[in-house]
Amino acid sequence: QVQLVESGGGLVQPGDSLRLSCAGSGRTFSDSAMGWFRLAPGKEREFVAGINWFHRVTRYADSVKGRFTVSRANAKNTLYLQMNDLKPEDTAVYYCAARRPGDSISTQYQAYDIWGQGTQVTVSS
């Protein structure tokens, strides 16, 4: 069974950091562009960050540039999202997703065909 499983979410205070992980199983994801999306109550699913399968090209939403870093460890079939200087507006369920092998980063959630179950991130004082 091909799946992605996120972990690392939690309740933190503004200014804190969190590192999300997304572990893949069932097939290798080293040849797939992967992304992080988030869904907050009352809002649409939002692209956060993505990383290509080659040359490690990355892309970020303007709202997280300079604070979040996406990376991957292909040997571990794992995707990461380092989140620093967290703000209350970062509160959401965070999902990782993978595109088909060979496809590039997309900011459109419809372009991704494998999704994790999500992990809650709450930023509150």
Side-chain angles (χ1 to χ4, degrees):
Q1 181 182 2
V2 178
Q3 63 178 355
L4 297 171
V5 178
E6 302 95 336
S7 61
L11 171 63
V12 297
Q13 295 186 340
D16 285 352
S17 298
L18 276 177
R19 187 195 196 200
L20 304 184
S21 298
C22 170
S25 61
R27 73 163 175 89
T28 181
F29 290 91
S30 62
D31 54 358
S32 299
M34 299 188 73
W36 287 98
F37 289 77
R38 65 187 181 187
L39 183 61
K43 296 185 178 181
E44 296 185 351
R45 193 169 353 187
E46 175 188 21
F47 171 80
V48 175
I51 184 167
N52 255 348
W53 64 273
F54 65 96
H55 297 159
R56 303 298 174 90
V57 172
T58 58
R59 190 168 179 180
Y60 297 93
D62 288 342
S63 58
V64 307
K65 277 182 184 176
R67 299 189 298 122
F68 290 12
T69 302
V70 60
S71 61
R72 62 193 303 164
N74 287 338
K76 297 182 179 180
N77 222 21
T78 300
L79 179 72
Y80 302 100
L81 184 67
Q82 177 66 43
M83 306 186 294
N84 297 329
D85 190 23
L86 282 160
K87 305 176 185 301
E89 52 264 40
D90 294 319
T91 296
V93 178
Y94 284 71
Y95 299 88
C96 66
R99 297 205 67 190
R100 291 175 300 181
D103 290 341
S104 298
I105 300 170
S106 174
T107 62
Q108 305 302 308
Y109 73 88
Q110 300 93 332
Y112 294 77
D113 61 351
I114 299 175
W115 290 82
Q117 84 290 347
T119 185
Q120 176 72 46
V121 172
T122 302
V123 185
S124 175
S125 55

